[in-house]
């Protein structure tokens, strides 16, 4: 798998010029909540800002975990 090349966040589209990942994180299977598997990616937007994004494998949905300059 590879990082995304485009990101839409808060109604605004962002082309991505660099990506790194995935780093897979799996929740503890022995807990009381359902297990969740996420692939995390660090991506750089065309304007230079960075985002930490992940895809939840069970649903295929993408999320932004954090932003930094």
């Amino acid at each position: 798998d590879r990082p995304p090349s485009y990101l839409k966040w808060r109604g605004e589209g962002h082309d991505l010029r660099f990506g790194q990942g995935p780093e897979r994180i799996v929740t503890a299977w022995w807990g009381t909540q359902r297990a969740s598997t996420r692939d995390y990616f660090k991506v750089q937007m065309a304007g230079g800002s960075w985002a930490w994004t992940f895809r939840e494998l069970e649903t295929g949905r993408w999320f932004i975990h954090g932003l930094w300059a």
Side-chain angles (χ1 to χ4, degrees):
D1 207 5
R2 65 182 114 169
S5 59
Y6 180 81
L7 177 68
K8 187 170 184 177
W9 186 62
R10 294 188 175 175
E12 190 174 323
H14 301 275
D15 289 319
L16 305 176
R17 64 177 172 183
F18 179 77
Q20 193 175 19
E23 180 179 342
R24 183 159 288 175
I25 306 291
V26 181
T27 58
W29 56 268
W30 58 85
T32 57
Q33 297 178 343
R34 68 173 177 82
S36 174
T37 305
R38 297 176 176 179
D39 280 346
Y40 282 84
F41 299 89
K42 297 174 194 168
V43 294
Q44 186 178 34
M45 295 180 224
S49 298
W50 285 84
W52 195 25
T53 184
F54 69 89
R55 181 181 61 227
E56 189 177 59
L57 269 59
E58 290 79 13
T59 64
R61 292 179 61 200
W62 285 88
F63 300 89
I64 298 287
H65 192 88
L67 298 171
W68 68 96

